[in-house]
Amino acid sequence: VAGFCDSAVAVMERTPDTGAVTWRDAYGEQSDIPCVTNIDGGVFNHPGAVAATGRPGELAVMTGERGYFPFYLLQWTGESLELTSVVPERPPVFDASRFAFVTDPVPNQVPPNPLDFRGLVDVTRSGSELIGISGMTNALGVIADGHATEFIQRGQDGVDGLECAVRLVMSADGSRLWVSQRCGAGVGVFDVDPERGGLAPGPALPVPSAVAGEIVEAIAPIGNDQVVGTVVSATAPAIVLLGRTDGRDRPGVRLGLRDCGGSGAFPVGAAASPDGTHLYIADFQGQGTGCVHTARVTGGALELTETVEDVRLLGAESIVTSADGREIVVACHVAKAVT
């Protein structure tokens, strides 16, 4: 679990038989300071994304440090988390133009609105490599042997034409990388070279019936050819099902989300069941309750089937499914809990 405000990453152990979650250890400050804090300088400052590298006990972490491509490796020894590499590299261009808290006359403060600082970083595994996004530099980096070996960056034009990339996920077979963007309603597509692991960008997939101001926040892969995105919108929050097969775009499908907290849906997290038939959407909400929406995927159709509301889901944002698909685990910012 990446703890942005605590500047720490924690390991929690799940008991398969009971589903119980137990705290094991954490690396970082664990200072429980407010999220309005300086993000300049320092090492391992404000981790925002964590992923397994595929090597036993090894974790990749991206943090919110300014001006760098802030990638780290941690090792779980079975008893403790240890920092094994520090790789604060600088991409060719510094471009934090989409973050007002960087470009304001008096910068250095992380804003209290969670949507503003969400999407600073992300990281995912691609075969033997890792791919990370740093919003503070508007750069996508391919990471091998603990170092960023390739930067995809176009200054003000964003990550290879995708301004303000915030999330990235791999298709089930690892042949395609999906990227969501903060500055527009669309999902980017990169084909992954099966031999050398390089990335070849293709045209972005547009969100159907998009209106001005909408963005795609979270994404989750469905098989190899489809992806689900959460649409954050002031008027019509939704989830969308997009896809591309053999170079041809599939018709996009859009499904509206109901209000569960009194101020409209705020869908910021998405996960799919292992078989790709069900979706689980984390609805942040902060007004007395929080919720997780469930939707069924049937071919190219979406159907909302259930909404679970609970005070323990307040500020629900990051969401994953267990390997067997029987449980959903949600990190909840307002409830300060993993549910």
Side-chain angles (χ1 to χ4, degrees), residues 7 36 41 77 118 126 135 152 174 199 228 272 274 277 284 288 294:
S7 287
V36 181
T77 66
R118 185 181 289 105
S126 175
I152 300 175
L199 299 175
V228 165
T277 61
F284 188 83
T294 301

Side-chain angles (χ1 to χ4, degrees), residues 218-240:
I219 48 179
I222 303 294
N224 303 324
D225 300 326
Q226 293 180 290
V227 64
V228 165
T230 67
V231 178
V232 175
S233 171
T235 57
I239 55 176
V240 291

Side-chain angles (χ1 to χ4, degrees), residues 42-286:
V43 175
F44 209 78
N45 208 356
H46 297 297
V50 60
T53 68
R55 291 179 285 273
E58 189 177 63
L59 300 175
V61 181
M62 293 286 291
T63 68
E65 292 153 37
R66 181 170 307 169
Y68 292 94
F69 190 79
F71 169 78
Y72 299 89
L73 288 174
L74 294 175
Q75 184 67 43
W76 171 244
T77 66
E79 297 294 333
S80 63
L81 265 180
E82 298 177 0
L83 183 67
T84 57
S85 73
V86 180
V87 193
E89 302 175 76
R90 289 188 182 272
V93 179
F94 174 65
D95 174 21
S97 58
R98 66 189 174 99
F99 292 115
F101 64 87
V102 178
T103 57
D104 280 349
V106 184
N108 303 339
Q109 298 296 310
V110 176
N113 183 348
L115 181 59
D116 290 335
F117 62 72
R118 185 181 289 105
L120 278 173
V121 289
D122 202 2
V123 63
T124 191
R125 179 184 172 190
S126 175
S128 61
E129 299 176 327
L130 295 159
I131 300 173
I133 282 177
S134 168
M136 296 297 288
T137 50
N138 218 352
L140 183 149
V142 179
I143 303 159
D145 300 322
H147 295 272
T149 60
E150 175 186 359
F151 287 112
I152 300 175
Q153 186 181 32
R154 299 292 184 269
Q156 295 295 325
D157 294 327
V159 176
D160 209 53
L162 278 178
E163 183 91 21
C164 312
V166 291
R167 297 284 182 90
L168 70 171
V169 294
M170 298 295 299
S171 63
D173 64 356
S175 65
R176 185 165 285 163
L177 177 73
W178 308 101
V179 184
S180 65
Q181 54 179 332
R182 175 63 56 79
C183 295
V187 174
V189 185
F190 289 82
D191 290 326
V192 181
D193 188 313
E195 295 182 359
R196 69 179 189 87
L199 299 175
L205 295 170
V207 169
S209 305
V211 299
E214 289 186 347
I215 64 170
V216 176
E217 177 66 24
I219 48 179
I222 303 294
N224 303 324
D225 300 326
Q226 293 180 290
V227 64
V228 165
T230 67
V231 178
V232 175
S233 171
T235 57
I239 55 176
V240 291
L241 180 63
L242 308 173
R244 178 170 295 155
T245 304
D246 297 329
R248 300 183 62 181
D249 291 358
R250 295 188 178 193
V253 177
R254 181 171 180 140
L255 178 66
L257 295 176
R258 63 179 288 267
D259 173 17
C260 73
S263 63
F266 187 8
V268 297
S273 61
D275 62 4
T277 61
H278 289 81
L279 302 172
Y280 307 102
I281 307 301
D283 191 339
F284 188 83
Q285 295 297 332

